Amino acid sequence: MRGTMLYGPRDVRFEERPDPTIIEPTDAIIRISAACVCGSDLWPYRGIEPTTQPRPMGHEYCGIVEEVGSAVKNIKPGQFVVGSFFASDNTCPNCQFGYQSSCMHREGVGGAQSPVLRVPLADGTLVATPSVPSNDLIPSLLTTSDVLGTGWFAADAANVKPGSTVVVIGDGAVGLLGVLSARQMGAERIIAMSRHESRQKLAREFGATDVVAERGDEGVARIMDMTNGISADSVLECVGTQEAMLQAIRCTRKGGYVSYVGVPHGVELNGEGLFFAHVHLHGGPAPVRRYLPTLIDLVWNGKINPGRVFDLQLPLAQVAEGYRAMDERRAIKVLLWP
């Protein structure tokens, strides 16, 4: 088969790769129905995260099971499934506490920007849909694999409750779906921090009540002004930079909650500053597997349409153009059809 490989900064190639095969008896092989480019893929693409050797790309996926190992009991060939970017057994203590992305036996799932994918720990990682979906549902089902699951975790970790005032920092796909998630959890006021008109529009359609374009000190001052000097109950940091993290903490009321789901790059916190901020701080790699059944059900029953974050669709063979479009902010998120 041909699959996506990253050789170095801005060097993406769609080239011949070995067909995936069953290696462990707990594996499954799935035929990809759709994949996409993730915002976190841009860190190595831009060279901010070093690439020392060519690596297969893609960790968001859904598709049809073609083959399973001898130890797989619950996942069957022919099922349409969605999985997470970390394979998990879903039985270890960390999984039972709801943190499958820190499974004691976790494995990274990579190489999903290709026609076929091997998924380890299939019984614990994959969740089947009620039946094979129609094509129009596939983009939204694909979001549950990572970007919606991550936005949902951001809202959950920030303790979004009915009636909350929420600030979302970051207008990429995760931030936008953090807005959608906060709305689903009953937030009364959702302030999206965004400078881009098309993303502001989608944020409002997903449930944002207000948009703030300012950043840094000006952004914090705007939030303080809009909340009568109190700040927000919950702040979702969906970027992963120093500026975004400090802004998130400073936009949160005393006793409020900050979640952080953007992979941190260059983020350092001052202990004394954090001490006197008096906020709850929680984040990390989203335990997407915890939320998959709920999110799949919401999509399947038409309650949400998160697939709208895909504003560019390309054939998989044009994956390099997809990376360029996201890198240049011409696209929020790129959907890849095999």
Side-chain angles (χ1 to χ4, degrees):
M1 69 171 190
R2 297 177 71 201
T4 304
M5 297 290 291
L6 179 68
Y7 278 76
R10 293 181 169 80
D11 186 3
V12 170
R13 307 178 195 179
F14 192 62
E15 62 183 21
E16 289 298 323
R17 298 279 299 150
D19 288 346
T21 59
I22 298 291
I23 298 174
E24 300 292 338
T26 50
D27 291 348
I29 303 296
I30 69 172
R31 173 72 55 178
I32 296 293
S33 296
C36 57
V37 180
C38 179
S40 64
D41 292 332
L42 296 181
W43 295 108
Y45 180 75
R46 291 168 172 162
I48 299 170
E49 179 183 308
T51 298
T52 57
Q53 61 184 20
R55 59 169 158 173
M57 296 298 289
H59 55 262
E60 298 176 73
Y61 58 95
C62 60
I64 304 288
V65 179
E66 290 198 333
E67 184 182 0
V68 297
S70 60
V72 177
K73 305 302 180 188
N74 300 319
I75 298 299
K76 311 292 184 186
Q79 289 181 316
F80 187 95
V81 294
V82 184
S84 170
F85 50 86
F86 276 126
S88 58
D89 58 24
N90 209 31
T91 59
C92 82
N94 291 348
C95 289
Q96 291 301 296
F97 282 117
Y99 286 84
Q100 292 91 336
S101 50
S102 285
C103 174
M104 296 171 73
H105 305 105
R106 77 176 187 183
E107 295 184 44
V109 179
Q113 293 166 5
S114 61
V116 184
L117 177 69
R118 169 183 169 262
V119 180
L121 302 172
D123 274 337
T125 303
L126 299 173
V127 176
T129 57
S131 59
V132 176
S134 57
N135 282 345
D136 63 308
L137 271 187
I138 288 177
S140 285
L141 288 170
L142 176 60
T143 68
T144 68
S145 177
D146 179 359
V147 65
L148 175 59
T150 298
W152 196 272
F153 175 57
D156 192 17
N159 197 42
V160 174
K161 302 291 186 187
S164 295
T165 294
V166 177
V167 169
V168 180
I169 298 175
D171 62 0
V174 170
L176 291 168
L177 292 180
V179 169
L180 181 151
S181 300
R183 174 58 66 203
Q184 286 292 307
M185 294 179 188
E188 181 174 329
R189 190 175 193 186
I190 303 171
I191 304 169
M193 305 197 83
S194 170
R195 289 178 167 178
H196 303 89
E197 185 176 348
S198 62
R199 298 177 187 221
Q200 292 172 356
K201 182 174 183 292
L202 188 53
R204 288 190 182 278
E205 292 172 4
F206 278 157
T209 56
D210 304 90
V211 171
V212 168
E214 293 86 350
R215 295 181 182 174
D217 291 344
E218 291 183 1
V220 173
R222 282 276 286 129
I223 298 300
M224 291 290 285
D225 182 62
M226 294 169 70
T227 58
N228 299 317
I230 299 169
S231 297
D233 303 306
S234 303
V235 179
L236 285 57
E237 194 280 281
C238 303
V239 181
T241 64
Q242 180 83 353
E243 179 187 51
M245 178 66 86
L246 294 181
Q247 184 166 309
I249 292 170
R250 294 174 63 204
C251 287
T252 307
R253 66 166 173 80
K254 302 305 180 185
Y257 292 77
V258 176
S259 65
Y260 57 101
V261 297
V263 180
H265 287 76
V267 175
E268 295 183 359
L269 299 180
N270 175 275
E272 184 177 357
L274 187 60
F275 183 78
F276 286 104
H278 231 153
V279 300
H280 300 79
L281 187 63
H282 182 43
V288 170
R289 178 62 182 82
R290 186 205 310 181
Y291 306 114
L292 271 177
T294 296
L295 300 181
I296 289 172
D297 184 69
L298 286 170
V299 168
W300 195 264
N301 290 298
K303 301 295 179 60
I304 57 175
N305 184 16
R308 293 171 64 203
V309 295
F310 295 113
D311 56 347
L312 177 61
Q313 299 188 22
L314 294 170
L316 187 53
Q318 295 179 26
V319 62
E321 170 58 20
Y323 275 84
R324 284 192 292 270
M326 285 184 60
D327 178 42
E328 296 165 6
R329 297 186 72 85
R330 289 185 283 116
I332 301 170
K333 196 163 178 69
V334 176
L335 180 70
L336 301 169
W337 295 104

